[in-house]
Amino acid sequence: MTTGNTASYVPLMGTLSVIPWTSDPAEGERNAPFLLAYSLGDGREGPAAGEETLRTVLGEIGLRAGEEVVDLADKPSTAITLLVEAGRAVLTMPYLNAQCPVPPEWEEDARRVGHVYFIVATKPWTDAVPGRPVTEERLRAFVGDDEVLLSAAHCLVPVRSLTG
């Protein structure tokens, strides 16, 4: 990552945001918690340029959109970290540093499983504006869309805490 790239990539990608969720315990065994990073598609050259830029950034950090799930525990050089502490998830990766509140069951599952299933959507989600609630139905519709899933990068990110 170079400073020059940072200056050019950020305006092209536009606003990046993160949403956490976990499976419903009423549906049976609980799985790993999920974290979704997505763009609003509001970059200076439009949604298509933002998609392409996000794909480039993913490639730079060793992830490819559309490939199988990558376990980052096996790729410690990948520049993505996740700190889970005190009801918060703090995600750090090139061009995105996000801190979001997480429910207690999400934090508990993250600690129990030891990783979070992280999806980086290259397709923009233009109406999921940070600070506005997203219903479960809207989240399912976006994340369950084949085009979104097939064009996203998928990885398991190890959970870190302040205590180890």
Side-chain angles (χ1 to χ4, degrees), residues 19-111:
I19 291 181
W21 82 94
T22 191
S23 57
D24 183 351
E27 294 178 2
E29 186 177 327
R30 287 162 75 165
N31 297 315
F34 295 86
L35 197 59
L36 169 69
Y38 63 93
S39 168
L40 291 181
D42 59 353
R44 89 171 161 222
E45 293 183 21
E51 283 182 51
E52 188 58 38
T53 303
L54 195 47
R55 284 179 193 277
T56 300
V57 168
L58 289 171
E60 284 183 3
I61 62 174
L63 296 175
R64 300 274 182 249
E67 289 188 358
E68 293 186 16
V69 179
V70 176
D71 188 344
L72 296 186
D74 297 335
K75 294 181 83 172
S77 62
T78 303
I80 299 176
T81 60
L82 179 65
L83 174 69
V84 177
E85 195 74 42
R88 295 213 143 331
V90 181
L91 177 73
T92 304
M93 60 183 278
Y95 317 106
L96 176 64
N97 294 308
Q99 183 178 148
C100 61
V102 294
E105 61 274 9
W106 192 97
E107 185 172 353
E108 178 184 312
D109 287 349
R111 290 186 191 290

